[in-house]
Amino acid sequence: MPKKEEFVLKDSPPEFIKAAGVAPKGREYNAECAKKPGAIKIDEVLLGTKLACVAITDDKEGTLAKVGKMNPWHIEALKMITGSEEEAHKPLTHILKAHFNLECDKIIDYSGWSGGRPIDTQGYIAHNDEIVVVSFRCTTSALDWMTNLATTSSEWEIDKDVAQGHSGYFSCCEGRCFSKGPKKPRVHTGFYNNILKMIPVFEELVDPLLAPDQPKRKLYVVGHSLG
């Protein structure tokens, strides 16, 4: 005898709801909500997912093949997005232009150390007249894993930390030991130090594209896993 379902979603097909024999749960999709300001549309979610996936490659020869040796699904994802394996292995700037009508403003590739912290950030910034995209790559290196595992927290002091290029040598203790005054927000130390290196790039390339004298554009900040 098949096991009776414990719950079923409201958006499930009617026959599933009937067969489950329990009251459906969750929120029903309402197309009218998608028309409201700030609403998340499924088409935008799917576009953001694709824009995140293509950050796995760049304009260097063999990047996707190299990553694909350890994680073949990256190649499969780009094949689905671009339509063929040959197209998937083409340069990132070509993929962005041919498949998304986007001009690539910068291919991000920062790797090294800052203030004793590992920095390894890859991705891209691109735009057209409708959107601006900032996309980050997932974990692909030992430095990336060091970033993931830097799970202590640091105070969010963006102005000071951007100026010095890192969160501080003992940022996990700052704001905890013998601190006075109001507490500041705290963030993942590894992720924070990587994004600190990107703030000046955002100010240089992204801010002008969102200026009042520019066409009105949506901003996509995307990535998956570490990205």
Side-chain angles (χ1 to χ4, degrees), residues 92-110:
L92 173 61
T93 49
H94 166 83
I95 292 173
L96 292 173
K97 185 64 177 179
H99 299 278
F100 299 98
N101 191 32
L102 288 167
E103 296 292 337
C104 185
D105 299 290
K106 185 176 184 64
I107 295 178
I108 301 165
D109 188 8
Y110 292 97

Side-chain angles (χ1 to χ4, degrees), residues 83-157:
S84 71
E85 184 162 359
E86 179 183 4
E87 193 74 3
H89 284 275
K90 288 187 177 179
L92 173 61
T93 49
H94 166 83
I95 292 173
L96 292 173
K97 185 64 177 179
H99 299 278
F100 299 98
N101 191 32
L102 288 167
E103 296 292 337
C104 185
D105 299 290
K106 185 176 184 64
I107 295 178
I108 301 165
D109 188 8
Y110 292 97
S111 185
W113 297 81
S114 182
R117 309 290 187 180
I119 306 295
D120 196 24
T121 301
Q122 287 77 35
Y124 65 87
I125 298 171
H127 80 283
N128 58 24
D129 284 343
E130 297 179 350
I131 64 174
V132 178
V133 182
V134 179
S135 182
F136 295 105
R137 188 179 296 176
C138 60
T139 300
T140 59
S141 70
L143 283 176
D144 283 339
W145 278 111
M146 293 175 71
T147 294
N148 291 334
L149 295 173
T151 56
T152 59
S153 65
S154 301
E155 288 188 315
W156 179 266
E157 300 178 297

Side-chain angles (χ1 to χ4, degrees), residues 42-102:
I42 189 62
D43 290 345
E44 294 175 341
V45 173
L46 293 174
L47 175 59
T49 302
K50 293 177 181 179
L51 293 169
C53 285
V54 299
I56 197 63
T57 192
D58 51 35
D59 278 11
K60 297 177 184 176
E61 186 175 352
T63 294
L64 183 60
K66 181 180 178 181
V67 174
K69 289 180 179 179
M70 182 171 293
N71 295 302
W73 70 268
H74 286 304
I75 297 177
E76 294 301 315
L78 261 67
K79 284 168 60 178
M80 294 174 65
I81 292 169
T82 63
S84 71
E85 184 162 359
E86 179 183 4
E87 193 74 3
H89 284 275
K90 288 187 177 179
L92 173 61
T93 49
H94 166 83
I95 292 173
L96 292 173
K97 185 64 177 179
H99 299 278
F100 299 98
N101 191 32
L102 288 167

Side-chain angles (χ1 to χ4, degrees), residues 160-176:
K160 183 190 81 172
D161 292 338
V162 167
Q164 67 184 8
H166 55 86
S167 62
Y169 293 101
F170 301 101
S171 61
C172 62
C173 298
E174 292 178 2
R176 294 184 184 276

